[in-house]
Amino acid sequence: MPEENFHLPLHPIYVSLQVTESDLSMLQTLKTYFGYDSFRPLQQEIIANVLARRDTLVLMPTGGGKSICYQLPALLMEGTAVVVSPLISLMKDQVEALRANGIPAATLNSGNSEMENAAIRKDCLQGRIKLLYISPERLLGETNFLLKDINVSLFAIDEAHCISQWGHDFRPEYTQLSVLRQEFPRIPMIALTATADKITRQDIQEQLHLKDPRVFISSFDRPNLNLAVKRGYQQKEKMSTILKFIGEHKDQCGIIYCMSRNNTERVAATLQRHGISVTVYHAGLSPAARDRAQEDFINDRVQVVCATIAFGMGIDKSNVRWVIHYNLPKSIENFYQEIGRAGRDGLESDTLLFYSMSDIILLSKFADESSQREINKDKLHRMQQYAEADICRRRILLNYFGENREYDCGHCDVCLNPPQRFDGTILVQKALSAIVRADQRISTRLLVDVLRGTFTQEIIENGFDRLKTFGAGRDVPARDWQDYLLQMLQLGYFEIAYNESNHLKMTESGRKVLFGQEKAMLVVIKREQPKDKKAKQTKPGKETGRLLLQSEAMQEAEDLYEVLRAHRKKLADEQGYPAYIVLSDKVLHLLCSIRPTTVKEFGQISGIGDFKKEKYGKSFVALINQYLKGK
Ligand code: ADP
Ligand code: ZN
């Protein structure tokens, strides 16, 4: 990492530390160092609580803006804030982002050489570091030496749910953090997490011995994430949809989550054949290969990463523009955490979930065989309900996390395209009759072949071609049958016997439909949802709205964006930073629409603090002026 020259005091604000608790100085610090004009919900209250030296617990979704909640107090308090974080890559990313804003920060970890660590210790002792990131195992070794000798302003425990066995990321090293309170009874502590249910929350407070903490729970809504589900697609159709999707997201990076290692490799190979730059990430790779994949993705050297759930915890990349789930996740918690990796910068981002019968079969089997059988089955069921939803998907998510949302979001796929139903009784009867005639010893795959009248070896061997219903559903394409069967399963007309080769068994409600006692309403299948991508990209986000309003007449020009993006990449490579740390995608978009022509105007852009204004203003403004002249 290149050395920046940090001179303390960093800014006149340090001289006036006494007045720091006023809202004004908080706002001023926010603009000076981070370049933002206003706080996000709860940030200001949280910061005030920390500055009042009270313990704090923060629950905020990924991308909600947790970091500023301790970074800003760290700037306003005397001494060094000590931040505990579970992964070296996370610490590195945070430290780079801080230094890129002119804030002296460092990380003590096993990835550094001993010489580097010694230099950092010295800087801390001399009061030259405002934020020190440290891994939990390292922290223990330092409690009696370094931490006793430096002036610790506060302790921030990031990803605090790692302390709890109830959380899904338990890390034994985290439990040792309980000594902090004993050793440093007077230093305020702030614990932060994006995922904590009630038990985990309680556990965090107890294990860290937080003193009468104020708990801040922010809305889990991520309005900038678009939500969409595709039901009943088979492999081939999934792939063509993904290729089209990536085509619509030219140069925008994203993650494809798959259930198995095999799938990640297979999907990646197909994308590669179509000229898309892609890497894979799963637990079966060597640590070095995984690091490489992660670095390539962070530094925009590849556009796509195909990954199992093992990927993502260690990355803070703010410009992930989309997330696709190739397979159904096993719970809404997993799903929400994974899609949460898109759009951290607040810009609109797309998410797409594929939902198919084979996933249900496999995941149900896993849940059935797991130690917490009932809980896991229930979680899967909730996930299925989300995928099958015919009401606003965002409402389902928020209600799941205990937020009572009483209105529709207006921009998930259900809100945009409410499902229409039709009387599908005859279709259901055809399927159920085939199941019964096959003695309820038939899987979905074969059932589709029977309905379609497809002669395959398996069909002939089983004598299914002699069934009366063979070919009875020839007029419906196979992929539509997949969809209807999934709907029938969800409506409870048949069940899958997971322990009997996944054979289908008719239920009592199925029987009623088969014998004409009840009607079956199915959802009309829509294959395409035309989207106006162009309009979407320039649609102002919540925070940028005001600025964009002034420039509504200006059309964001793609070629200017490309010029600025290339310049950002050059600066990033020169400094060894990822591009999004130099300037975020959001800032780049703002530059294109507002087009500042002086360094002063450049500094007024949201996301540009004083340090970046001085460092990058001139060169970006020159490019913009050049562009304007050439028009
Ligand atoms: P989290 O740690 O909660 O996942 P971060 O702290 O990384 O989220 O913040 C996510 C993004 O939001 C970052 O790009 C950050 O700079 C930005 N951000 C944070 N606070 C604000 C704010 N008040 N105004 C605008 N952007 C903000
Ligand atoms: Zn909605």
Side-chain angles (χ1 to χ4, degrees), residues 227 391-395 407-416:
L227 306 168
I391 58 163
C392 172
R393 291 197 211 275
R394 203 172 308 272
R395 279 179 74 166
Y407 52 93
D408 292 347
C409 78
H411 59 276
C412 68
D413 56 350
V414 177
C415 284
L416 291 173

mmCIF file of all heavy atoms in Angstrom, residues 227 391-395 407-416, ligand 2:
data_model
loop_
_atom_site.group_PDB
_atom_site.id
_atom_site.type_symbol
_atom_site.label_atom_id
_atom_site.label_comp_id
_atom_site.label_asym_id
_atom_site.label_seq_id
_atom_site.Cartn_x
_atom_site.Cartn_y
_atom_site.Cartn_z
ATOM 1 N N LEU A 227 -36.049 -6.835 -7.070
ATOM 2 C CA LEU A 227 -36.233 -8.251 -6.750
ATOM 3 C C LEU A 227 -37.006 -8.929 -7.869
ATOM 4 O O LEU A 227 -38.037 -8.418 -8.302
ATOM 5 C CB LEU A 227 -37.038 -8.392 -5.453
ATOM 6 C CG LEU A 227 -36.492 -7.650 -4.223
ATOM 7 C CD1 LEU A 227 -37.531 -7.631 -3.104
ATOM 8 C CD2 LEU A 227 -35.210 -8.308 -3.742
ATOM 9 N N ILE A 391 -47.810 -11.729 -3.640
ATOM 10 C CA ILE A 391 -47.902 -10.371 -3.091
ATOM 11 C C ILE A 391 -46.490 -9.791 -3.097
ATOM 12 O O ILE A 391 -45.510 -10.521 -3.275
ATOM 13 C CB ILE A 391 -48.472 -10.336 -1.649
ATOM 14 C CG1 ILE A 391 -47.597 -11.179 -0.726
ATOM 15 C CG2 ILE A 391 -49.907 -10.806 -1.628
ATOM 16 C CD1 ILE A 391 -47.820 -10.881 0.724
ATOM 17 N N CYS A 392 -46.392 -8.500 -2.879
ATOM 18 C CA CYS A 392 -45.122 -7.778 -2.926
ATOM 19 C C CYS A 392 -43.996 -8.540 -2.210
ATOM 20 O O CYS A 392 -44.105 -8.861 -1.036
ATOM 21 C CB CYS A 392 -45.310 -6.409 -2.286
ATOM 22 S SG CYS A 392 -43.769 -5.512 -2.069
ATOM 23 N N ARG A 393 -42.932 -8.821 -2.924
ATOM 24 C CA ARG A 393 -41.852 -9.619 -2.329
ATOM 25 C C ARG A 393 -41.134 -8.870 -1.216
ATOM 26 O O ARG A 393 -40.653 -9.455 -0.256
ATOM 27 C CB ARG A 393 -40.843 -10.023 -3.398
ATOM 28 C CG ARG A 393 -41.403 -11.020 -4.378
ATOM 29 C CD ARG A 393 -40.318 -11.716 -5.153
ATOM 30 N NE ARG A 393 -40.790 -12.075 -6.474
ATOM 31 C CZ ARG A 393 -41.469 -13.183 -6.756
ATOM 32 N NH1 ARG A 393 -41.728 -14.066 -5.827
ATOM 33 N NH2 ARG A 393 -41.885 -13.420 -7.988
ATOM 34 N N ARG A 394 -41.028 -7.568 -1.356
ATOM 35 C CA ARG A 394 -40.325 -6.807 -0.326
ATOM 36 C C ARG A 394 -41.096 -6.856 0.992
ATOM 37 O O ARG A 394 -40.523 -6.926 2.067
ATOM 38 C CB ARG A 394 -40.138 -5.361 -0.782
ATOM 39 C CG ARG A 394 -38.990 -4.634 -0.103
ATOM 40 C CD ARG A 394 -38.752 -3.283 -0.741
ATOM 41 N NE ARG A 394 -38.594 -3.387 -2.177
ATOM 42 C CZ ARG A 394 -37.440 -3.617 -2.785
ATOM 43 N NH1 ARG A 394 -36.353 -3.725 -2.088
ATOM 44 N NH2 ARG A 394 -37.385 -3.723 -4.097
ATOM 45 N N ARG A 395 -42.417 -6.848 0.893
ATOM 46 C CA ARG A 395 -43.220 -6.945 2.113
ATOM 47 C C ARG A 395 -42.952 -8.262 2.815
ATOM 48 O O ARG A 395 -42.849 -8.322 4.041
ATOM 49 C CB ARG A 395 -44.707 -6.850 1.782
ATOM 50 C CG ARG A 395 -45.161 -5.424 1.592
ATOM 51 C CD ARG A 395 -46.624 -5.354 1.244
ATOM 52 N NE ARG A 395 -47.488 -5.632 2.390
ATOM 53 C CZ ARG A 395 -48.783 -5.364 2.379
ATOM 54 N NH1 ARG A 395 -49.338 -4.827 1.317
ATOM 55 N NH2 ARG A 395 -49.524 -5.642 3.436
ATOM 56 N N TYR A 407 -47.502 -1.508 3.099
ATOM 57 C CA TYR A 407 -47.785 -1.098 1.720
ATOM 58 C C TYR A 407 -46.832 -1.809 0.757
ATOM 59 O O TYR A 407 -45.773 -2.278 1.156
ATOM 60 C CB TYR A 407 -47.663 0.419 1.569
ATOM 61 C CG TYR A 407 -46.360 0.986 2.072
ATOM 62 C CD1 TYR A 407 -45.283 1.154 1.201
ATOM 63 C CD2 TYR A 407 -46.186 1.331 3.408
ATOM 64 C CE1 TYR A 407 -44.082 1.649 1.658
ATOM 65 C CE2 TYR A 407 -44.986 1.833 3.869
ATOM 66 C CZ TYR A 407 -43.943 1.995 2.993
ATOM 67 O OH TYR A 407 -42.742 2.469 3.450
ATOM 68 N N ASP A 408 -47.232 -1.881 -0.514
ATOM 69 C CA ASP A 408 -46.417 -2.562 -1.517
ATOM 70 C C ASP A 408 -45.275 -1.669 -1.978
ATOM 71 O O ASP A 408 -45.396 -0.455 -1.979
ATOM 72 C CB ASP A 408 -47.291 -2.931 -2.722
ATOM 73 C CG ASP A 408 -48.303 -4.004 -2.358
ATOM 74 O OD1 ASP A 408 -48.150 -4.605 -1.281
ATOM 75 O OD2 ASP A 408 -49.236 -4.227 -3.146
ATOM 76 N N CYS A 409 -44.162 -2.304 -2.370
ATOM 77 C CA CYS A 409 -42.981 -1.510 -2.727
ATOM 78 C C CYS A 409 -43.118 -0.856 -4.095
ATOM 79 O O CYS A 409 -42.515 0.171 -4.365
ATOM 80 C CB CYS A 409 -41.722 -2.366 -2.670
ATOM 81 S SG CYS A 409 -41.490 -3.457 -4.085
ATOM 82 N N GLY A 410 -43.904 -1.472 -4.955
ATOM 83 C CA GLY A 410 -44.115 -0.860 -6.268
ATOM 84 C C GLY A 410 -43.031 -1.177 -7.283
ATOM 85 O O GLY A 410 -43.174 -0.860 -8.446
ATOM 86 N N HIS A 411 -41.926 -1.819 -6.861
ATOM 87 C CA HIS A 411 -40.922 -2.113 -7.888
ATOM 88 C C HIS A 411 -40.284 -3.494 -7.791
ATOM 89 O O HIS A 411 -39.219 -3.714 -8.337
ATOM 90 C CB HIS A 411 -39.864 -1.004 -7.962
ATOM 91 C CG HIS A 411 -39.114 -0.785 -6.684
ATOM 92 N ND1 HIS A 411 -39.604 -0.001 -5.675
ATOM 93 C CD2 HIS A 411 -37.926 -1.233 -6.259
ATOM 94 C CE1 HIS A 411 -38.751 0.012 -4.681
ATOM 95 N NE2 HIS A 411 -37.729 -0.727 -5.001
ATOM 96 N N CYS A 412 -40.946 -4.423 -7.119
ATOM 97 C CA CYS A 412 -40.487 -5.808 -7.269
ATOM 98 C C CYS A 412 -41.240 -6.404 -8.462
ATOM 99 O O CYS A 412 -42.156 -5.773 -8.992
ATOM 100 C CB CYS A 412 -40.731 -6.613 -5.997
ATOM 101 S SG CYS A 412 -42.456 -6.898 -5.633
ATOM 102 N N ASP A 413 -40.873 -7.606 -8.889
ATOM 103 C CA ASP A 413 -41.527 -8.140 -10.090
ATOM 104 C C ASP A 413 -43.015 -8.379 -9.882
ATOM 105 O O ASP A 413 -43.810 -8.239 -10.808
ATOM 106 C CB ASP A 413 -40.799 -9.404 -10.592
ATOM 107 C CG ASP A 413 -40.689 -10.484 -9.525
ATOM 108 O OD1 ASP A 413 -40.996 -10.187 -8.345
ATOM 109 O OD2 ASP A 413 -40.301 -11.607 -9.854
ATOM 110 N N VAL A 414 -43.409 -8.714 -8.653
ATOM 111 C CA VAL A 414 -44.834 -8.939 -8.405
ATOM 112 C C VAL A 414 -45.605 -7.619 -8.494
ATOM 113 O O VAL A 414 -46.670 -7.534 -9.111
ATOM 114 C CB VAL A 414 -45.065 -9.593 -7.025
ATOM 115 C CG1 VAL A 414 -46.554 -9.749 -6.754
ATOM 116 C CG2 VAL A 414 -44.373 -10.944 -6.953
ATOM 117 N N CYS A 415 -45.034 -6.559 -7.890
ATOM 118 C CA CYS A 415 -45.709 -5.261 -7.961
ATOM 119 C C CYS A 415 -45.795 -4.775 -9.406
ATOM 120 O O CYS A 415 -46.794 -4.207 -9.818
ATOM 121 C CB CYS A 415 -44.959 -4.226 -7.129
ATOM 122 S SG CYS A 415 -45.225 -4.418 -5.366
ATOM 123 N N LEU A 416 -44.716 -4.999 -10.157
ATOM 124 C CA LEU A 416 -44.682 -4.495 -11.530
ATOM 125 C C LEU A 416 -45.564 -5.311 -12.457
ATOM 126 O O LEU A 416 -46.112 -4.813 -13.415
ATOM 127 C CB LEU A 416 -43.242 -4.507 -12.061
ATOM 128 C CG LEU A 416 -42.297 -3.490 -11.413
ATOM 129 C CD1 LEU A 416 -40.867 -3.720 -11.896
ATOM 130 C CD2 LEU A 416 -42.741 -2.063 -11.729
HETATM 131 ZN ZN ZN B 2 -43.199 -5.075 -4.306
#
